[in-house]
Amino acid sequence: EAQVTQNPRYLITVTGKKLTVTCSQNMNHEYMSWYRQDPGLGLRQIYYSMNVEVTDKGDVPEGYKVSRKEKRNFPLILESPSPNQTSLYFCASSFQGRSNQPQHFGDGTRLSIL
Amino acid sequence: SQQGEEDPQALSIQEGENATMNCSYKTSINNLQWYRQNSGRGLVHLILIRSNEREKHSGRLRVTLDTSKKSSSLLITASRAADTASYFCATDAGGGTSYGKLTFGQGTILTVHP
């Protein structure tokens, strides 16, 4: 089954404790992206990757890191999480990142930073 | 800045009625997409309409695009309780650029009562 898999689905942690949210897709997609979803603000893009070893900032990249060492994986790293990063996070992928291609989303990771 | 903004923010209807949601955007686009998000899940692609198209159908979904007014509408006919979800429009940056980011609106919450 074609899917985007995120882990963990839920995480409660404390300020400053490094964490990684993993994202994996099995569709051989070149394009992958991370979004955060906050009430009243909708979905905002954090980082995106057009292909292996190619990443770029989205609208709200501060406090986040990403890497794309393999085509299928695109982890999101919070080196020193802070409470304002409490949010619902989504990973998405598409074939080549063209805007005429649908994006496929994971089921989300709900992150709480205390 | 928000590219796509949905209206209304929330819509409550009875099963069997039609539901219409609107999306307005600020700058020219190449493509506009509509997504659905069920509670606690990721976004699911519904339909894509290109800037040179005025109307598109997919099952009970009808999407229109008016580039002169920079607006789109999503019509769900004969709604069902299972259509209860949030609906988002997503636009690209236009201007001949068709790669990279989509900008999502804040969504319309649709509730369909049995």
Side-chain angles (χ1 to χ4, degrees):
Chain A
E1 180 189 350
Q3 58 186 5
V4 177
T5 304
Q6 296 179 227
N7 280 296
R9 291 291 313 280
Y10 304 91
L11 180 63
I12 302 173
T13 188
V14 295
T15 299
K17 186 177 181 181
K18 181 179 178 180
L19 67 93
T20 299
V21 184
T22 63
C23 174
S24 180
Q25 50 92 6
N26 63 359
M27 295 167 279
N28 202 34
H29 283 169
E30 293 181 358
Y31 179 89
M32 297 185 76
S33 179
W34 277 103
Y35 297 88
R36 59 179 289 175
Q37 185 177 30
D38 301 288
L41 296 176
L43 268 82
R44 294 179 292 167
Q45 189 179 53
I46 302 170
Y47 270 96
Y48 66 96
S49 169
M50 297 297 291
N51 213 325
V52 176
E53 302 291 2
V54 180
T55 63
D56 210 345
K57 296 177 181 178
D59 295 318
V60 288
E62 295 77 20
Y64 304 94
K65 282 178 57 177
V66 293
S67 67
R68 187 92 182 273
K69 292 182 168 50
E70 304 165 284
K71 198 171 189 178
R72 64 183 292 126
N73 296 323
F74 190 44
L76 178 70
I77 303 157
L78 283 72
E79 294 267 1
S80 183
S82 62
N84 65 10
Q85 293 177 299
T86 292
S87 187
L88 180 57
Y89 291 85
F90 289 100
C91 180
S93 72
S94 73
F95 180 48
Q96 293 176 319
R98 291 179 184 269
S99 64
N100 62 353
Q101 297 164 348
Q103 293 197 11
H104 300 259
F105 283 78
D107 278 338
T109 295
R110 188 168 291 281
L111 204 54
S112 294
I113 315 292
L114 305 178
Chain B
S1 63
Q2 292 288 350
Q3 170 69 317
E5 294 189 9
E6 288 88 349
D7 169 63
Q9 289 189 333
L11 182 60
S12 181
I13 60 174
Q14 295 296 127
E15 214 166 25
E17 295 180 341
N18 295 340
T20 300
M21 289 156 272
N22 304 296
C23 169
S24 60
Y25 55 93
K26 295 183 175 66
T27 62
S28 65
I29 60 170
N30 297 313
N31 302 283
L32 185 145
Q33 301 185 31
W34 284 91
Y35 288 80
R36 183 188 76 230
Q37 183 182 30
N38 290 91
S39 180
R41 304 297 300 273
L43 279 73
V44 174
H45 179 261
L46 293 175
I47 196 166
L48 178 148
I49 188 165
R50 294 176 171 76
S51 59
N52 61 356
E53 297 176 313
R54 291 297 166 258
E55 188 170 311
K56 204 160 182 183
H57 297 255
S58 176
R60 293 185 295 113
L61 305 180
R62 173 178 166 249
V63 169
T64 60
L65 179 65
D66 187 334
T67 53
S68 66
K69 294 181 179 178
K70 293 186 172 58
S71 68
S72 173
S73 67
L74 171 68
L75 168 67
I76 304 174
T77 60
S79 63
R80 306 166 182 167
D83 294 327
T84 294
S86 295
Y87 291 81
F88 296 86
C89 66
T91 53
D92 59 27
T97 301
S98 63
Y99 283 96
K101 64 176 295 175
L102 291 178
T103 300
F104 289 81
Q106 294 186 28
T108 292
I109 301 171
L110 173 66
T111 304
V112 182
H113 300 280

